[in-house]
Amino acid sequence: MAFEELLNEVGGLGKFQILQMVLALPLVGIAACHILLENFTAAIPGHRCWVYILDNATEILSPDVLLRISIPLDSNLKPEKCHRFLHPQWQLLHLNRTFANMTGLDTEPCMDGWVYDHSLFSSTIVTEWDLICDHQSQKSVVQFVFMAGMQVGGFVYGHLSDRKSGFDPWVGSPDDCVMKFRFGRKLILRCCLLQLAISGTCTAFAPTFLIYSLLRFWSGCSAVAIITNNWLLIAEWTRSQSKAMVIMLITCAISIGQMMLGGLAFAFREWRTLQLVVSVPFFVFSFSSRWLVESARWLIVTNKTDQGLRELKKVARRNEMKNAEATLNMEGLRVTMQEELEGAQTKTTVFDFFRTPNLRKRICLLLFVRFAVTVPLYGISLNLQHFGSNIFLFQVIFGALTTLARCLALVVLNYKGRRPTQMLFLFLVGLSILANMFVPQEMQPLRVALASVGISCVAAAVTSYCVHCDELMPTLLKAKAFGLDAMVSRCGAALAPLLMTLVVYLPTLPWIIYGVFPIIAGLVVLFQPETRNMPLSDTIQDVENTKTVSREANEKDFYIKVTKF
């Protein structure tokens, strides 16, 4: 790549890149907190119906006695959460009465509200707006709304930051309007930082559930753009040899954000306070982001060569590459980047993925695997209460485990290949989720262990998938492939919380779906070619000739091994 030469000349990994990461990685970590925020702000505490005889504290009988005559027991012999006796059942005080006698007693829904257990949380949106019993699906709906905001934000801000708007007859020729509505990574990032600061802060003061949901949708739009544009700014200023390490640091920042959220939620138990704590810092970030530098690669391929040259000189100065700053000039830049500038003019569309058989097969299978691995990822991450009551500790543990799992995935990929690695982790994800359904609630250590295996393997599976996807897609269509990948990923993220509404039909049904999807995806990976130590494809023709290239590469590898012997 021609830009790599320029980047090596100004410093591909120096003080400038380190400063960029110092500024950008905290943004990624705290933005990740917003994705998982409903684990705590929408936590469902223990609850029961409000009963006059029990809760007005005028009776001389003990609370346990009053509870027995006021609230029926469920199948687990625990007080019902959504029903109460129509009248106090004094006869239940007699010891010779059995629980079987309770089946014929008249009950009614909670007509006067609920009483909540505030030992873990002083308040959540669930206790604020009574999102339980007949309204329990609304918690999943608000999580879906945030994920839908991520989908919309990814499309809108991706278009504004990186794509052409087309011909504008009021401006002139198509060449004149190429730059219209293309704002780049930095400007969109700064706008989204301010947007998340405002929407997140306003959410903390939301007076109704509807306004809360709308503000969370708005937050989702900006959160995804913050993560994506930070990713691009860091990656596009880093040399190829160090890019894998940098991408690993970015993904680890997301995991560290998970751990940070667990600690903050433990310290701030009131949902409005927690919402403010993770939102107000973005006002500071929106100011500090002015020191980030726009991607010179993007500036050059969009014909902003003057600005691109200025940014390259700025980087050379910060990396103390004085010779490079003196030799950089417009003529040399145009000569060096000639091929990339010509390549940027090549018109490709999404439909190019589906015109040839091999590429069509690759993209369809990749998108299915991406969808199938995203659903259990968010299914586990957004439902910590399913695994036990200490969700603060679970959040920290899961964040630490996903960090280690992503590092482990790279090691296994290098030794076992792309397909075996993905299959291993995907099968482990599905089996751990399905096995957890058969573990009783009382066996908390085993449930947490299985959940830990699941969240670790799903993080490793995502990392493995990303490497495989990057190697399977031709360079010419790689940007559009990542766009499709992101769209499908957000569809899976939006579906994951929505599946939890199925618990009204069968409590285990969402978890069956979460477990079956990755197992099917593991089988689908078998139909993809192995790419370890294989030459990468640059064009669609390279993909269609993959069998010939693969055979030649294997023959060359065999020849080298025999010669050495």
Side-chain angles (χ1 to χ4, degrees), residues 98-147:
T98 63
F99 293 114
N101 299 129
M102 298 175 63
T103 56
L105 301 178
D106 293 331
T107 61
E108 63 178 356
C110 300
M111 306 300 294
D112 301 309
W114 288 263
V115 175
Y116 295 98
D117 178 10
H118 295 289
S119 59
L120 280 181
F121 297 95
S122 58
S123 71
T124 67
I125 65 169
V126 172
T127 63
E128 181 107 0
W129 294 301
D130 293 329
L131 306 182
I132 49 176
C133 298
D134 293 340
H135 302 287
Q136 63 179 344
S137 62
Q138 293 189 22
K139 173 188 174 180
S140 299
V141 170
V142 76
Q143 290 175 322
F144 164 78
V145 165
F146 182 86
M147 297 301 175

Side-chain angles (χ1 to χ4, degrees), residues 23 27 186 189-190 193 284-293:
L23 291 172
L27 310 184
K186 181 180 175 180
L189 172 60
R190 297 193 68 187
L193 288 170
V284 179
F285 292 148
S286 65
F287 176 78
S288 64
S289 62
R290 63 192 296 268
W291 287 292
L292 293 172
V293 177

Side-chain angles (χ1 to χ4, degrees), residues 31 34 191-201 219 222-223 226 279 282:
H34 279 265
C191 291
C192 288
L193 288 170
L194 185 59
Q195 176 180 320
L196 185 55
I198 295 172
S199 61
T201 302
S219 295
S222 51
I226 290 170
S279 300
F282 284 98

Side-chain angles (χ1 to χ4, degrees), residues 365-366 368-377 380 418-434 453-454 456-466 468 513-526 528:
L365 295 181
L366 278 171
F368 175 80
V369 173
R370 179 57 153 176
F371 180 83
V373 76
T374 303
V375 170
L377 170 63
I380 297 174
R418 285 31 173 167
R419 289 194 307 178
T421 301
Q422 285 186 84
M423 291 177 63
L424 170 65
F425 288 125
L426 286 168
F427 285 150
L428 287 175
V429 172
L431 293 175
S432 64
I433 293 174
L434 294 176
V453 171
S456 302
C457 290
V458 78
V462 170
T463 301
S464 306
Y465 164 85
C466 291
H468 203 201
I513 298 174
Y514 293 150
V516 169
F517 261 129
I519 292 176
I520 297 174
L523 297 174
V524 166
V525 172
L526 275 174
Q528 295 279 37

Side-chain angles (χ1 to χ4, degrees), residues 382-398:
L382 295 175
N383 293 285
L384 295 185
Q385 281 192 297
H386 179 78
F387 306 106
S389 58
N390 196 347
I391 58 177
F392 310 105
L393 181 60
F394 295 165
Q395 187 71 73
V396 175
I397 291 175
F398 288 177

